[in-house]
Amino acid sequence: DRWTYWRARSLQMTGDEVQANVLFNYLASKRSFYGFLAADISGKDYALNHEDLSVDKQVYTEVSLLPAMQRTKELLALKRYLDARREWYFISTTFDETELLAAAQLAHEWQWHDRAILTLAKAKSWDDLSIRFPIEHKQHVFKEAENNKIDPAWVFAMMRQESAFMNDAQSPVGALGLMQLMPRTAKSVAKTLKQRKPSKHDLFKPEKNIKLGTAYLKQVYDRFDQHAVLAIAAYNAGPHRVQGWLPENSMQADVWIELVPFKETRNYLKSVLAYTVSYAD
């Protein structure tokens, strides 16, 4: 998709509009970052191509009755998330594709969204968007999005990318919770909101994490003159880096994204922007 998009853009910029449009129209049928860009250019609706997950009923029953799955369910009920993930990890390594799909359906029914998302990915199943892009913590997200005057679909997309809705997510560099806040950043945001400094434990609470994460997203959004692409990059790589990446002359956003020097941030931008489309629908 990337190659096709940039060939079309090259043809467009060199005056071959007819051939460019052929490629844009083709690409607009794809559910991807580049497919969504092509849809914008072509004036077409986004192709989300949702398809409900197809799970074999017998396999589903067999997987649900496995002792490891029963233990996992009980550990979840006890909020022993680390132990639950360990059980899930070890049993899922023995599953074939049909069993993985059944397990993903189970996790979704348990509202254990991070395992459902990751298990679908392991099975290379991409089309059930209700499982891949769940609506979780809706009340908190809508409240904070309204308070900060930003699109709730954007907040959902950030959480989906940052933690896959894992409340107790912790990155190797120390970012915490649903929106993966660094403790220092969280304390700075809390200060601007005239709230007490959050503890590490506080940042694992969905309501607190979403409040501070959304407020920080609004801060970087305003810092970069409400340019969403720059705000997303700043949330990932830091505002100072993004400031240094700004071109001397104006540049189209799709070109700038491809020139971001950090591969992680380039991929992060594409994911968040594409996820926002999925949630906006």
Side-chain angles (χ1 to χ4, degrees), residues 1-21 23-24 27 34 41 252 254-255 258:
D1 289 358
R2 183 188 187 201
W3 186 93
T4 303
Y5 177 79
W6 285 108
R7 173 154 177 76
R9 285 280 276 120
S10 299
L11 290 166
Q12 181 189 53
M13 288 186 283
T14 54
D16 192 344
E17 293 283 349
V18 173
Q19 199 57 35
N21 288 334
L23 293 177
F24 284 135
L27 197 54
Y34 295 102
I41 292 171
Q252 290 180 303
D254 58 350
V255 177
E258 297 290 358

Coordinates of all heavy atoms in Angstrom, one line a residue, residues 1-21 23-24 27 34 41 252 254-255 258:
D1 N 0.8 -1.2 0.0 CA 0.0 0.0 0.0 C 0.9 1.3 0.0 O 0.5 2.2 -0.7 CB -0.9 0.0 1.2 CG -2.0 -1.0 1.1 OD1 -2.1 -1.7 0.1 OD2 -2.8 -1.2 2.1
R2 N 1.9 1.2 0.7 CA 2.8 2.4 0.8 C 3.4 2.7 -0.6 O 3.4 3.8 -1.0 CB 3.9 2.1 1.8 CG 4.9 3.3 2.1 CD 6.0 2.8 3.0 NE 6.9 4.0 3.3 CZ 8.1 3.8 3.8 NH1 8.7 2.6 3.8 NH2 8.8 4.9 4.1
W3 N 3.9 1.6 -1.2 CA 4.6 1.8 -2.5 C 3.5 2.4 -3.5 O 3.8 3.3 -4.3 CB 5.2 0.5 -3.0 CG 5.9 0.6 -4.2 CD1 7.3 0.8 -4.3 CD2 5.4 0.6 -5.6 NE1 7.7 0.9 -5.7 CE2 6.5 0.7 -6.5 CE3 4.2 0.4 -6.1 CZ2 6.4 0.7 -7.8 CZ3 4.0 0.4 -7.5 CH2 5.2 0.5 -8.4
T4 N 2.3 1.8 -3.5 CA 1.3 2.2 -4.4 C 0.9 3.6 -4.2 O 0.7 4.4 -5.2 CB 0.1 1.3 -4.3 OG1 0.4 -0.1 -4.5 CG2 -1.0 1.6 -5.3
Y5 N 0.8 4.0 -3.0 CA 0.4 5.4 -2.7 C 1.4 6.4 -3.2 O 1.1 7.4 -3.8 CB 0.2 5.6 -1.1 CG -0.1 7.0 -0.8 CD1 -1.4 7.5 -0.9 CD2 0.8 7.9 -0.3 CE1 -1.8 8.8 -0.6 CE2 0.5 9.2 0.1 CZ -0.8 9.6 -0.1 OH -1.1 10.9 0.2
W6 N 2.7 6.1 -2.9 CA 3.7 7.1 -3.3 C 3.9 7.0 -4.9 O 4.3 8.1 -5.4 CB 5.0 6.9 -2.6 CG 4.8 7.4 -1.2 CD1 4.7 6.7 0.0 CD2 4.6 8.8 -0.8 NE1 4.4 7.6 1.0 CE2 4.4 8.9 0.6 CE3 4.6 10.0 -1.6 CZ2 4.2 10.1 1.2 CZ3 4.4 11.2 -0.9 CH2 4.2 11.2 0.5
R7 N 3.7 6.0 -5.5 CA 3.7 6.0 -7.0 C 2.6 6.9 -7.5 O 2.8 7.7 -8.4 CB 3.6 4.6 -7.5 CG 3.4 4.6 -9.1 CD 3.9 3.3 -9.7 NE 3.7 3.3 -11.1 CZ 4.5 4.0 -12.0 NH1 5.5 4.7 -11.6 NH2 4.2 3.9 -13.3
A8 N 1.4 6.7 -6.9 CA 0.3 7.6 -7.3 C 0.5 9.0 -7.0 O 0.3 9.9 -7.9 CB -1.0 7.1 -6.6
R9 N 1.1 9.3 -5.9 CA 1.4 10.7 -5.5 C 2.5 11.3 -6.5 O 2.4 12.4 -6.9 CB 2.0 10.8 -4.1 CG 0.9 10.7 -3.1 CD 0.1 12.0 -2.9 NE 0.8 12.9 -1.9 CZ 1.2 14.1 -2.2 NH1 1.1 14.6 -3.4 NH2 1.8 14.8 -1.3
S10 N 3.5 10.4 -6.9 CA 4.5 10.9 -7.8 C 3.9 11.2 -9.2 O 4.2 12.2 -9.8 CB 5.6 9.8 -8.0 OG 6.2 9.6 -6.7
L11 N 3.0 10.3 -9.6 CA 2.3 10.5 -10.9 C 1.5 11.8 -10.8 O 1.4 12.6 -11.8 CB 1.4 9.3 -11.2 CG 2.1 8.1 -11.6 CD1 1.2 6.9 -11.6 CD2 2.8 8.2 -13.0
Q12 N 0.8 12.0 -9.7 CA 0.0 13.2 -9.5 C 0.8 14.5 -9.6 O 0.5 15.4 -10.3 CB -0.7 13.1 -8.2 CG -1.7 14.3 -7.9 CD -2.2 14.2 -6.4 OE1 -1.4 14.1 -5.5 NE2 -3.5 14.2 -6.3
M13 N 2.0 14.4 -8.9 CA 2.8 15.6 -8.9 C 3.6 15.9 -10.2 O 4.0 17.0 -10.4 CB 3.8 15.5 -7.7 CG 3.2 15.6 -6.3 SD 4.4 15.6 -5.0 CE 4.8 13.9 -4.8
T14 N 3.7 14.9 -11.0 CA 4.3 15.1 -12.4 C 3.3 15.3 -13.5 O 3.6 15.3 -14.7 CB 5.2 13.9 -12.7 OG1 4.5 12.7 -12.6 CG2 6.4 13.9 -11.7
G15 N 2.0 15.4 -13.1 CA 1.0 15.8 -14.0 C 0.2 14.7 -14.7 O -0.7 14.9 -15.5
D16 N 0.5 13.4 -14.3 CA -0.3 12.3 -14.9 C -1.5 12.0 -14.0 O -1.5 10.9 -13.3 CB 0.6 11.1 -15.0 CG 0.0 10.0 -15.9 OD1 -1.2 10.0 -16.1 OD2 0.7 9.1 -16.3
E17 N -2.5 12.8 -14.0 CA -3.6 12.7 -13.1 C -4.4 11.4 -13.4 O -4.9 10.8 -12.5 CB -4.5 13.9 -13.2 CG -3.9 15.2 -12.7 CD -3.9 15.3 -11.2 OE1 -4.6 14.5 -10.6 OE2 -3.3 16.2 -10.7
V18 N -4.5 11.0 -14.6 CA -5.4 9.9 -15.0 C -4.8 8.6 -14.4 O -5.5 7.9 -13.7 CB -5.4 9.7 -16.5 CG1 -6.2 8.4 -16.9 CG2 -6.2 10.9 -17.2
Q19 N -3.5 8.4 -14.6 CA -2.9 7.2 -14.0 C -2.9 7.2 -12.5 O -3.1 6.2 -11.8 CB -1.5 7.0 -14.6 CG -0.9 5.6 -14.5 CD -1.8 4.5 -15.1 OE1 -2.4 4.8 -16.1 NE2 -1.9 3.3 -14.5
A20 N -2.6 8.4 -12.0 CA -2.6 8.6 -10.5 C -4.0 8.2 -9.9 O -4.1 7.5 -8.9 CB -2.3 10.0 -10.1
N21 N -5.1 8.7 -10.6 CA -6.4 8.4 -10.0 C -6.8 6.9 -10.1 O -7.5 6.4 -9.3 CB -7.4 9.2 -10.8 CG -7.4 10.7 -10.5 OD1 -6.9 11.0 -9.4 ND2 -7.8 11.6 -11.4
L23 N -4.7 4.5 -9.5 CA -4.1 3.9 -8.4 C -4.7 4.3 -7.1 O -4.9 3.5 -6.2 CB -2.6 4.3 -8.3 CG -1.7 3.7 -9.4 CD1 -0.3 4.2 -9.3 CD2 -1.7 2.2 -9.4
F24 N -5.1 5.6 -7.0 CA -5.8 6.1 -5.8 C -7.1 5.4 -5.6 O -7.5 5.0 -4.5 CB -6.1 7.6 -5.9 CG -4.8 8.5 -5.6 CD1 -4.5 9.6 -6.4 CD2 -4.0 8.2 -4.5 CE1 -3.4 10.3 -6.2 CE2 -2.9 9.0 -4.3 CZ -2.6 10.0 -5.1
L27 N -6.5 1.9 -4.4 CA -6.0 1.9 -3.0 C -7.1 2.3 -2.0 O -7.1 1.8 -0.8 CB -4.8 2.9 -2.9 CG -3.9 2.8 -1.7 CD1 -3.3 1.4 -1.5 CD2 -2.7 3.7 -1.8
Y34 N -2.6 4.2 4.2 CA -2.5 4.7 2.8 C -3.8 4.5 2.1 O -4.1 5.4 1.2 CB -1.4 3.9 2.1 CG 0.0 4.2 2.7 CD1 0.6 3.3 3.5 CD2 0.6 5.4 2.5 CE1 1.8 3.5 4.1 CE2 1.8 5.7 3.1 CZ 2.4 4.8 3.9 OH 3.6 5.0 4.5
I41 N -8.2 11.6 -1.0 CA -7.8 12.2 -2.3 C -8.9 11.9 -3.4 O -9.2 12.8 -4.2 CB -6.4 11.7 -2.8 CG1 -5.3 12.3 -1.9 CG2 -6.2 12.2 -4.2 CD1 -4.0 11.7 -2.1
Q252 N 3.5 19.1 2.9 CA 2.3 18.4 3.1 C 2.5 17.3 4.2 O 3.6 16.7 4.3 CB 1.9 17.8 1.8 CG 1.3 18.8 0.9 CD 0.9 18.2 -0.5 OE1 1.7 17.6 -1.1 NE2 -0.3 18.5 -0.9
D254 N 1.5 14.2 4.6 CA 1.9 12.8 4.3 C 3.4 12.7 4.0 O 4.1 11.8 4.3 CB 1.1 12.3 3.1 CG 1.2 13.1 1.8 OD1 1.7 14.3 1.9 OD2 0.7 12.7 0.8
V255 N 4.0 13.8 3.4 CA 5.4 13.8 3.1 C 6.2 13.9 4.4 O 7.2 13.2 4.7 CB 5.8 15.0 2.2 CG1 7.3 15.1 2.0 CG2 5.1 14.9 0.8
E258 N 6.6 10.6 6.4 CA 7.6 9.7 5.8 C 9.0 10.2 6.1 O 9.9 9.3 6.1 CB 7.4 9.6 4.3 CG 6.1 9.0 3.8 CD 5.9 7.6 4.1 OE1 6.8 6.9 4.7 OE2 4.8 7.0 3.8

